[in-house]
Amino acid sequence: MKSRRATRDDIAALAVIAERSYRAAFATILEEDVLATRDAAFFATRFTETWERMTVAESEGKLLGFLLLTDGHIDMLFMDPNAAGKGAGTLLLRDAEAAGATTLECFRDNHAARGFYERNGWVLSRAYERDFAGKSRGFVFYEKA
C-alpha cells in the first residue's frame, strides 16, 4: 500500500469512492434525498477543481481512498467501504499531518470517523450546529494535538 498525489485521470474513480463512502458513512445522519444529490457526478464536478490538493491511497494499482487538504484543513478523508480498517486511512492521515494538517470537521454523529481521529491523536476542540443541506446539523471540530 502506498500514497501518492492524485492526478486528473483519478477523478472518475475518486468520485465513485466518494459516493460509496458518503452513502455508507452518512446513511443514518442524512436523509435519502440529500444522499441522492451526492452522487459520483456531483463529486467528479467538485474534484475537477480540487484534484491537485488530493492524495490517494492505492494498493496494486487500485484506489482505496483519498484525502483533500486545503490550507492545513482536512476537507475530506474518504475510504472505499471495502478498504476501511486496513490502514489506508491512517496512511493518508499521516501524509496530511506531514503536509501541515491541523484541523478538520465532521458530523457530530459520525462516531466511526470521530473514533478514528481520536485514536490518531486529534483532539475535539468544539461542537456546534450549522446549516448543511438546508437543515441545522451537529458538527464537531478537531485539532491536531
Side-chain angles (χ1 to χ4, degrees):
M1 183 180 331
K2 66 178 183 174
S3 63
R4 64 171 173 79
R5 300 295 288 170
T7 68
R8 186 178 297 278
D9 292 339
D10 294 325
I11 291 173
L14 295 175
V16 170
I17 289 172
E19 177 183 18
R20 293 184 69 224
S21 178
Y22 202 90
R23 183 166 284 281
F26 307 137
T28 61
I29 297 172
L30 299 173
E31 300 79 18
E32 178 58 35
D33 62 319
V34 175
L35 293 171
T37 65
R38 291 346 192 241
D39 61 8
F42 169 87
F43 287 108
T45 298
R46 181 166 182 195
F47 296 163
T48 60
E49 299 174 7
T50 60
W51 67 267
E52 292 173 314
R53 291 181 281 131
M54 296 172 80
T55 303
V56 300
E58 66 181 3
S59 180
E60 299 175 6
K62 181 180 180 188
L63 296 179
L64 306 175
F66 67 90
L67 183 135
L68 173 60
L69 185 65
T70 305
D71 298 326
H73 181 80
I74 297 174
D75 288 316
M76 292 183 186
L77 174 53
F78 286 165
M79 299 305 304
D80 185 301
N82 294 329
K86 298 179 181 172
T90 301
L91 175 67
L92 290 171
L93 189 59
R94 295 288 174 258
D95 284 355
E97 291 167 356
T102 58
T103 62
L104 64 90
E105 174 189 64
C106 69
F107 284 107
R108 178 190 60 225
D109 295 332
N110 188 349
H111 301 291
R114 292 183 64 184
F116 169 74
Y117 294 125
E118 290 169 10
R119 282 190 307 276
N120 282 282
W122 289 73
V123 178
L124 177 64
S125 174
R126 65 184 186 277
Y128 51 94
E129 300 276 325
R130 73 170 175 84
D131 185 68
F132 182 88
K135 188 174 177 182
S136 182
R137 304 191 192 265
F139 285 85
V140 288
F141 192 84
Y142 281 89
E143 296 182 59
K144 182 60 180 175

